[in-house]
Amino acid sequence: MTDIVAFDNVVKRYPGGKLALDRVSLTLARGEMAFLTGHSGAGKSTLMKLIGLIERPTRGRVVINGIDLARVHRRQVPRYRQRVGLIFQNYNLLFDRTVFDNVALPLVIRGLAHRDITRRVRAALDTVGLLAHEKKFPITLSGGEQQRVGIARAVVNRPYLLLADEPTGNLDPDLSADIMRLFTRLNETGTSVMIATHDIDLVQQMGYRRIMLDHGHLETH
Amino acid sequence: MADASPRRASSPKQASQSSLSEAASGWAGSHARCLLESLGRLHRRWVASLLTVLVIGIALALPTGLYILVKNMDHLATNWHESVQISVYLNTDLSADQGASLAQRLRDDADIDNTHFISAEQGLAEFKKASGFGDALDALGHNPLPGVIQVTPRAAMPPAAVGELVDRLADTDHVAKAQLDQAWLRRLSAILDLISRASWVIGLLLSAAVVFIVGNTIRLDIENRRQEIEVMKLLGAPDAFIRRPFLYSGLWYGLLGAVVALVVLGGCYIALGGPLATLVSSYNGALALEGLGLSGIGLVVLIGILLGWVGCAITVNRQLAAIEPG
């Protein structure tokens, strides 16, 4: 149970025959932060989707926080996802709701009392430095700010694992560095973080472990 | 399983109590919030919502209006039925005195409320006055009309019993013929039965229409919110949570549709008010118009809500299952 993520000989073949992951075995230790790199189509997104239970492996075993994902029934998927913080390249914010409501959504889903929701949403917005913007609509924010809202929404449920798929893909280098520093800070508070990115320069500056994928194979570094 | 929160594990008993009440208030709160939110959604696309609500309203108003019509006509037919009289034609050889005493005797019959004897002479005089054939009748030389006893059956007698009474009167001595002109009343009754049956059939068909209308509206609504639903699923929203606002929308559509139906019916009542008032007053208070009544209004609203909910429920599961993030 020391590993938060454990892939054991995982194969993912999509309907149609495309082999996205080929016998991938890897681990992410509890409290660790690592980057998942590789060219586009290397299998980064597939790996993230397997952890988020958006896809199921063709063969092999995925264990997250001690939970064998093969044993998570379709009906239990929502509850599982509530404890994994997902962050997306396109932010996936809801544009008809305020920043506050966007961040509150995971707590509303869990049915928390209004008082607790307010407290925790404010704390999350404070963490990403957007407390002053809680009443604004996402459309009025810059790309970097929108991604911060996305991150606040991912951490508001206190996940044991943060999973970010190309979080800086739509941002310029300065903003990207800001977002990465934010991940570092979150990791320092004990959350395990896995970030898929093709921004090799940024990854090399930061000096965390790199997990490299190439055409579905794990490359040893 | 996945929920192994260390925060709660620290003091299990207290934590479970507070989380239980927290969950309960959260549950009620989220339902109330959801109910209002779904109303807000309807408001945001108010043109589309209004059209849907109007169509539902008209669909509900039609069978309800027919129902009210049938109920009032039934009432009217019963009134007419009560005013039914049997004409007993006496043999022409019977004198006026004999006729009067027969009328007196018939009054003792338990099935008869009252009798009124019209002698042949009275009948002739009335007929001359009413028909204008006076000269022709004078030319005839003798009175061709028989004496008649107008028999009023006891109140609220079933049609079959009235029929038996007519037969019994026809068999009485000195009676040539007993006649009840009831054919038109039977026809009216049959027509009312037909309209009543038709209102059920139309009601069923239009109920199905309401279900489909709401279903289709919700289907489009879900399609428009595809991205939002995907995001919610990614954030760990269970199907019940995603379904809830749509079910509430269906409920609102049904409720507002029922209100529109009631307003439409009210409008019809006002539009028909003049002629209706004339008709009602011509009955000197014997006829009172019946509306839906409070329970009827409640029923229309309930049916509206139910249909809206059903229309939504049969669509929403299938539609939501088709949306998976990927």
Side-chain angles (χ1 to χ4, degrees):
Chain A
M1 260 286 282
T2 51
D3 292 330
I4 198 87
V5 176
F7 274 56
D8 183 17
N9 260 315
V10 171
V11 177
K12 176 63 187 178
R13 188 185 291 278
Y14 283 106
K18 186 180 178 292
L19 187 63
L21 290 178
D22 189 10
R23 285 163 290 162
V24 169
S25 298
L26 62 86
T27 58
L28 181 76
R30 188 174 296 276
E32 190 186 359
M33 171 154 145
F35 287 98
L36 188 63
T37 62
H39 60 89
S40 70
K44 301 190 299 284
S45 289
T46 299
L47 197 145
M48 301 299 241
K49 283 178 181 173
L50 290 176
I51 299 175
L53 270 177
I54 297 160
E55 295 286 349
R56 301 269 186 174
T58 313
R59 276 208 310 278
R61 214 158 77 104
V62 181
V63 179
I64 306 296
N65 196 32
I67 305 159
D68 183 351
L69 295 194
R71 291 171 193 275
V72 178
H73 186 263
R74 206 189 69 83
R75 291 169 55 100
Q76 297 167 321
V77 168
R79 206 184 152 105
Y80 164 79
R81 282 191 190 142
Q82 286 172 8
R83 299 309 303 272
V84 177
L86 298 177
I87 292 152
F88 312 91
Q89 178 173 1
N90 61 358
Y91 326 130
N92 266 340
L93 301 178
L94 303 182
F95 285 95
D96 60 346
R97 300 172 193 224
T98 61
V99 167
F100 182 96
D101 287 345
N102 266 280
V103 177
L105 192 54
L107 303 175
V108 174
I109 287 170
R110 279 180 58 194
L112 260 61
H114 194 262
R115 195 183 56 242
D116 295 340
I117 290 177
T118 308
R119 189 168 44 79
R120 288 171 67 165
V121 169
R122 295 243 163 90
L125 282 173
D126 195 27
T127 306
V128 300
L130 286 179
L131 196 50
H133 298 293
E134 64 171 20
K135 291 199 176 69
K136 289 187 180 168
F137 283 87
I139 201 79
T140 64
L141 302 180
S142 71
E145 287 168 330
Q146 289 189 24
Q147 188 57 291
R148 284 166 185 275
V149 176
I151 294 170
R153 185 181 63 183
V155 299
V156 78
N157 248 343
R158 301 190 184 114
Y160 44 70
L161 174 63
L162 266 184
L163 213 54
D165 192 1
E166 301 281 1
T168 60
N170 294 346
L171 303 177
D172 63 45
D174 281 352
L175 284 173
S176 298
D178 273 358
I179 295 291
M180 289 303 180
R181 270 196 292 278
L182 181 54
F183 280 121
T184 309
R185 256 178 34 229
L186 290 167
N187 175 241
E188 279 160 4
T189 64
T191 313
S192 312
V193 182
M194 189 184 270
I195 302 166
T197 179
H198 59 258
D199 196 343
I200 307 288
D201 293 343
L202 194 64
V203 172
Q204 277 169 344
Q205 286 170 30
M206 298 191 54
Y208 287 90
R209 178 159 75 101
R210 281 171 65 187
I211 301 164
M212 284 189 290
L213 282 170
D214 183 27
H215 293 96
H217 292 274
L218 200 63
E219 276 194 354
T220 40
H221 191 49
Chain B
M1 32 139 265
D3 196 352
S5 163
R7 185 177 58 97
R8 284 182 190 169
S10 58
S11 68
K13 195 174 177 184
Q14 192 188 4
S16 77
Q17 265 175 2
S18 82
S19 78
L20 196 70
S21 68
E22 174 184 287
S25 77
W27 184 84
S30 77
H31 271 270
R33 190 162 49 224
C34 206
L35 191 65
L36 289 176
E37 250 179 43
S38 57
L39 187 62
R41 284 187 186 187
L42 260 60
H43 175 72
R44 243 169 285 157
R45 294 171 299 104
W46 68 272
V47 177
S49 305
L50 186 69
L51 287 176
T52 302
V53 165
L54 284 179
V55 171
I56 295 170
I58 291 166
L60 286 176
L62 193 54
T64 311
L66 274 178
Y67 168 76
I68 297 174
L69 181 74
V70 169
K71 204 164 86 164
N72 279 297
M73 292 291 275
D74 253 346
H75 201 66
L76 200 61
T78 313
N79 267 343
W80 281 333
H81 212 103
E82 277 167 8
S83 67
V84 145
Q85 286 195 332
I86 301 165
S87 297
V88 177
Y89 299 97
L90 306 175
N91 290 333
T92 41
D93 57 1
L94 213 63
S95 74
D97 285 347
Q98 284 171 310
S101 70
L102 179 60
Q104 189 67 40
R105 242 183 306 132
L106 286 177
R107 223 171 281 174
D108 295 337
D109 194 308
D111 281 340
I112 292 171
D113 189 40
N114 202 3
T115 59
H116 173 61
F117 176 66
I118 303 164
S119 69
E121 288 72 30
Q122 280 174 312
L124 185 66
E126 273 177 37
F127 187 66
K128 272 182 180 171
K129 208 164 66 184
S131 67
F133 287 134
D135 294 341
L137 285 165
D138 283 342
L140 214 53
H142 71 278
N143 183 0
L145 298 176
V148 178
I149 303 173
Q150 295 279 329
V151 173
T152 308
R154 74 178 152 81
M157 213 171 160
V162 174
E164 279 170 29
L165 178 62
V166 171
D167 291 344
R168 192 142 42 85
L169 289 170
D171 286 344
T172 312
D173 287 342
H174 311 301
V175 170
K177 195 179 175 190
Q179 189 180 319
L180 174 70
D181 190 16
Q182 215 184 6
W184 69 273
L185 209 56
R186 284 209 197 95
R187 275 185 216 122
L188 176 67
S189 170
I191 289 170
L192 285 181
D193 275 351
L194 190 69
I195 298 177
S196 165
R197 194 68 65 86
S199 76
W200 280 108
V201 172
I202 292 172
L204 277 178
L205 288 176
L206 289 177
S207 295
V210 168
V211 166
F212 294 138
I213 292 161
V214 173
N216 194 47
T217 307
I218 296 290
R219 193 179 60 77
L220 291 174
D221 199 12
I222 290 175
E223 214 40 58
N224 285 335
R225 292 172 171 274
R226 192 180 193 86
Q227 192 247 350
E228 177 181 341
I229 292 166
E230 278 182 13
V231 170
M232 286 196 183
K233 287 196 172 186
L234 285 172
L235 294 179
D239 286 349
F241 180 87
I242 299 171
R243 193 164 46 218
R244 205 180 296 150
F246 294 107
L247 285 176
Y248 280 136
S249 302
L251 197 142
W252 281 119
Y253 281 129
L255 174 67
L256 295 174
V259 170
V260 167
L262 293 172
V263 169
V264 165
L265 289 173
C268 288
Y269 180 78
I270 292 169
L272 301 177
L276 269 178
T278 315
L279 181 67
V280 170
S281 68
S282 78
Y283 277 86
N284 295 327
L287 180 65
L289 271 184
E290 263 186 276
L292 264 181
L294 263 185
S295 62
I297 289 172
L299 196 67
V300 169
V301 170
L302 207 67
I303 288 174
I305 289 174
L306 195 72
L307 290 177
W309 193 84
V310 167
C312 187
I314 60 173
T315 322
V316 81
N317 284 339
R318 202 161 31 85
Q319 287 295 118
L320 287 186
I323 299 177
E324 276 298 336

